[in-house]
Amino acid sequence: MDYLQITGGKTLKGEVRISGAKNSALPILASALLCKNLLRISNLPDVADVKTLAKLLEHLGSEIEWVSPNELLIHSERIIHTKAIYDIVRKMRASILVLGPLLARFGKCEVSLPGGCAIGARPVDLHIKAMEKMGAEISIEGGYIVARAPKGLKGADVMFDKITVTGSENILMAAALAKGVTRIINAAKEPEVVQLCQILQSAGVEIQGVGSNELCVRGTQGELLEFKDISVIPDRIEAGTYLCAGAITNSAITIKNIIPTHLEAMISKLGEIGFKFENTQNSLKILPASKRYAFEIVTTEYPGFPTDMQAQFMALATQCQGSSSIEERLFENRFMHVSELQRLGAHITLRGNVAKVTGGEKLIGADVMATDLRASSALVLAGLVTEGNTKIHRIYHLDRGYEHLEEKFSNLGAQIKRLKEK
Ligand code: EPZ
């Protein structure tokens, strides 16, 4: 296995191009199951999760040709079976996103339960309840979700008890081929959900309320869709991670290929901490702050402060004067990075789902372990300002969602290299 070694204390400079959004690429790939024509998808991030879902689609029968690591052609006209096997689904829980399209198109499918992950149980009960509302008969057999809708799915009023991103995306795709109108109430409105709506609209699906918490979808009654070429939107979480790299090292760096409105919660929080910015239409430069103040964060759904940026801001809090407070409201166990940051000398206390960070302490290099995707990126950020060498193990977590991470950080002036465990 590989590990990263970072020598801290370097000031960063220059610019970094933000890649396509993993959390948009995944529902877009799943939606290709609804498409009858040859579909071109570009600006895909070259990350493990995208490769895993592409493998699952090929296993189902989709024909995929990789034009480059960031672009593919996919033809899903001839799907040979509708079973998403455990061996692939266990590697990437977002594989649950094939449930809606397969059920809507074939009236039956088996999808392995994704199981939990480091940050929480991650149930899919809301996905299942919503599809039952649309007429599906669903049972759990041998670790698989076995779903049937012999007469096809029918439009229904679907109310989500909790806002769920992939739950909203699954039902959107199911509703696109259903008979009649589906109202999705309490839907997620993350930019990745919005892009999926726009793609379905351009394929001829009537959707009202895009960008709001209530979506109204008129299905095609099983008629497959004619998609246009797709370019994946920039990754707002990768963008936020690199903004935090500039913030934690108090360096001037520029992030390019972004959609600034997607970053508003993070930019506003960095402004509170003391940072100023220079922005153009699709780039943003963060400038060094004379003083960095402690802050408060409560994670919530978009457009609030994203849970996927919580760990990165916790690393930043170790460099801000005073006591910062970080409350995680979406996942029950998303503080795995705390004990690793403490190994570097961070002063963090946990009480329930609130972490208090006392900033200003020097961090000293040590061996630390990545536990999940965003926790790993927090350890990279901390390594940038840690005295001496920090070694981050189990970085396969990072490879799931950050494209060419060490290359991008090296180009910004960080002293970082990928080495092999002995
Ligand atoms: C998506 O996960 C993202 N993943 C996550 O990003 C992100 O953290 C999360 O949304 C929240 O923004 C993708 O888009 C592929 P949820 P998702 O369903 O859809 C509960 C990353 O780092 N819930 O919005 O799985 C759930 O337990 C990843 O890129 C149910 O109870 O998250 C959680 O508490 C990590 N039952 C809350 O809802 C359900 O059926 C929000 O989860 C579904 C969800």
Side-chain angles (χ1 to χ4, degrees):
M1 275 202 281
D2 298 351
Y3 68 93
L4 285 180
Q5 178 173 292
I6 303 172
T7 307
K10 310 288 175 222
T11 303
L12 305 184
K13 64 183 185 313
E15 56 187 44
V16 57
R17 184 187 182 282
I18 299 304
S19 303
K22 163 181 83 81
N23 291 350
S24 198
L26 296 173
I28 289 172
L29 279 167
S31 74
L33 291 166
L34 304 172
C35 173
K36 62 183 164 195
N37 56 294
L38 180 66
L39 173 60
R40 180 184 297 272
I41 307 175
S42 57
N43 201 40
L44 287 160
D46 180 10
V47 296
D49 276 6
V50 167
K51 299 281 184 288
T52 302
L53 190 54
K55 278 203 183 70
L56 173 57
L57 293 171
E58 285 181 309
H59 183 262
L60 295 170
S62 295
E63 288 158 47
I64 292 181
E65 181 198 332
W66 285 93
V67 176
S68 80
N70 302 103
E71 183 170 324
L72 62 78
L73 294 167
I74 180 168
H75 204 186
S76 300
E77 205 186 9
R78 274 181 298 284
I79 294 298
I80 49 176
H81 69 86
T82 58
K83 182 169 185 174
I85 57 170
Y86 172 69
D87 195 40
I88 300 179
V89 175
R90 72 184 172 84
K91 291 194 186 92
M92 214 263 309
R93 52 171 289 98
S95 309
I96 191 70
L97 284 165
V98 302
L99 176 64
L102 286 175
L103 185 56
R105 178 172 169 181
F106 298 101
K108 66 175 175 61
C109 65
E110 291 177 69
V111 178
S112 168
L113 275 168
C117 73
I119 63 176
R122 309 289 295 276
V124 289
D125 56 314
L126 301 178
H127 299 234
I128 290 171
K129 208 170 110 187
M131 281 178 210
E132 287 173 333
K133 198 79 194 306
M134 297 175 72
E137 294 139 27
I138 296 183
S139 57
I140 306 295
E141 298 167 27
Y144 279 79
I145 301 165
V146 180
R148 293 178 191 84
K151 298 194 214 64
L153 292 175
K154 58 184 185 342
D157 283 0
V158 168
M159 167 75 184
F160 278 118
D161 300 340
K162 271 186 178 179
I163 293 179
T164 159
V165 172
T166 48
S168 305
E169 291 163 346
N170 239 334
I171 296 309
L172 256 173
M173 294 187 279
L177 259 54
K179 182 171 175 214
V181 175
T182 300
R183 279 176 65 223
I184 308 176
I185 304 142
N186 205 22
K189 54 185 181 180
E190 272 67 2
E192 298 76 29
V193 179
V194 170
Q195 179 165 33
L196 181 62
C197 288
Q198 291 165 341
I199 287 164
L200 294 172
Q201 282 178 317
S202 61
V205 180
E206 213 186 292
I207 305 177
Q208 262 107 42
V210 177
S212 79
N213 286 122
E214 181 162 333
L215 298 168
C216 220
V217 185
R218 179 177 297 282
T220 64
Q221 301 194 50
E223 179 66 35
L224 283 183
L225 306 173
E226 181 94 23
F227 278 46
K228 296 190 176 57
D229 289 357
I230 297 167
S231 175
V232 178
I233 58 172
D235 191 319
R236 60 194 168 96
I237 304 302
E238 186 196 23
T241 304
Y242 283 99
L243 280 179
C244 282
I248 201 168
T249 57
N250 217 12
S251 313
I253 65 167
T254 301
I255 56 174
K256 293 174 74 68
N257 183 43
I258 56 165
I259 300 175
T261 50
H262 292 173
L263 310 177
E264 276 171 354
M266 298 166 237
I267 292 168
S268 153
K269 194 54 68 181
L270 288 167
E272 267 178 49
I273 296 170
F275 292 98
K276 297 213 176 337
F277 303 89
E278 288 167 7
N279 63 325
T280 67
Q281 214 245 334
N282 71 345
S283 75
L284 187 73
K285 182 176 187 179
I286 185 170
L287 304 169
S290 49
K291 198 165 171 350
R292 295 176 289 182
Y293 296 94
F295 55 88
E296 296 206 351
I297 277 174
V298 178
T299 64
T300 181
E301 293 85 4
Y302 190 87
F305 190 91
T307 173
D308 291 350
M309 283 303 304
Q310 177 256 103
Q312 298 91 314
F313 270 75
M314 191 180 293
L316 172 57
T318 66
Q319 307 301 305
C320 298
Q321 292 306 321
S323 170
S324 296
S325 162
I326 297 174
E327 183 176 345
E328 172 56 58
R329 285 216 178 139
L330 268 78
F331 291 107
E332 63 272 28
N333 187 32
R334 201 167 198 175
F335 282 139
M336 309 278 276
H337 41 284
V338 169
S339 49
E340 300 306 312
L341 290 170
Q342 286 168 334
R343 283 180 53 76
L344 299 173
H347 281 224
I348 306 171
T349 54
L350 272 184
R351 199 181 305 278
N353 63 345
V354 180
K356 295 276 186 207
V357 185
T358 307
E361 303 293 328
K362 185 181 278 297
L363 300 182
I364 310 293
D367 284 68
V368 289
M369 193 170 71
T371 50
D372 59 87
L373 173 57
R374 305 305 172 183
S376 324
S377 67
L379 298 177
V380 172
L381 296 176
L384 297 174
V385 290
T386 299
E387 199 176 277
N389 287 338
T390 298
K391 293 180 182 172
I392 305 173
H393 302 275
R394 299 194 183 179
I395 52 167
Y396 54 85
H397 289 290
L398 267 176
D399 297 336
R400 292 189 41 203
Y402 285 97
E403 181 179 81
H404 307 157
L405 179 129
E406 62 267 25
E407 197 180 310
K408 290 188 177 185
F409 271 112
S410 298
N411 292 342
L412 287 172
Q415 197 167 335
I416 180 171
K417 46 189 176 195
R418 182 181 285 249
L419 300 167
K420 287 256 175 266
E421 304 280 10
K422 288 192 181 44

